[in-house]
Amino acid sequence: NFLAFESNELEHLYLAGTDISNKGLSLLAQSLPNLKHLDVSWCARIRDEGVLSLSALKNLKYLGLDFTRVSRK
């Protein structure tokens, strides 16, 4: 499950170790346009497709992906 919300002011989000999915990342990218720092380390459900959806976040400066299933391409 994903809690849908919007905040034009949220810039930092720490989701490490949660059960967020690729779909959840896609929803984040749509809902949080000012996000600058996102950490999804240790989130086993994150894959390449989810990270690609984050390209919509033009202000993103840091993306933590340690111990996810994202390829090293």
Side-chain angles (χ1 to χ4, degrees):
N1 292 338
F2 180 80
L3 178 61
F5 63 94
E6 264 188 66
S7 172
N8 290 330
E9 298 177 20
L10 188 65
E11 295 181 353
H12 296 266
L13 189 57
Y14 181 80
L15 295 173
T18 65
D19 197 32
I20 191 164
S21 65
N22 289 327
K23 182 172 176 139
L25 284 186
S26 179
L27 291 169
L28 279 177
Q30 295 170 29
S31 302
L32 303 171
N34 292 319
L35 202 59
K36 293 181 181 177
H37 181 109
L38 176 61
D39 193 340
V40 291
S41 299
W42 295 93
C43 294
R45 296 176 65 194
I46 300 300
R47 294 194 168 51
D48 294 344
E49 310 85 58
V51 173
L52 288 174
S53 69
L54 298 177
S55 65
L57 296 174
K58 302 303 180 196
N59 296 320
L60 193 64
K61 304 286 185 230
Y62 173 81
L63 177 60
L65 293 171
D66 294 333
F67 301 100
T68 61
R69 294 185 179 182
V70 176
S71 67
R72 300 280 182 206
K73 296 180 198 176

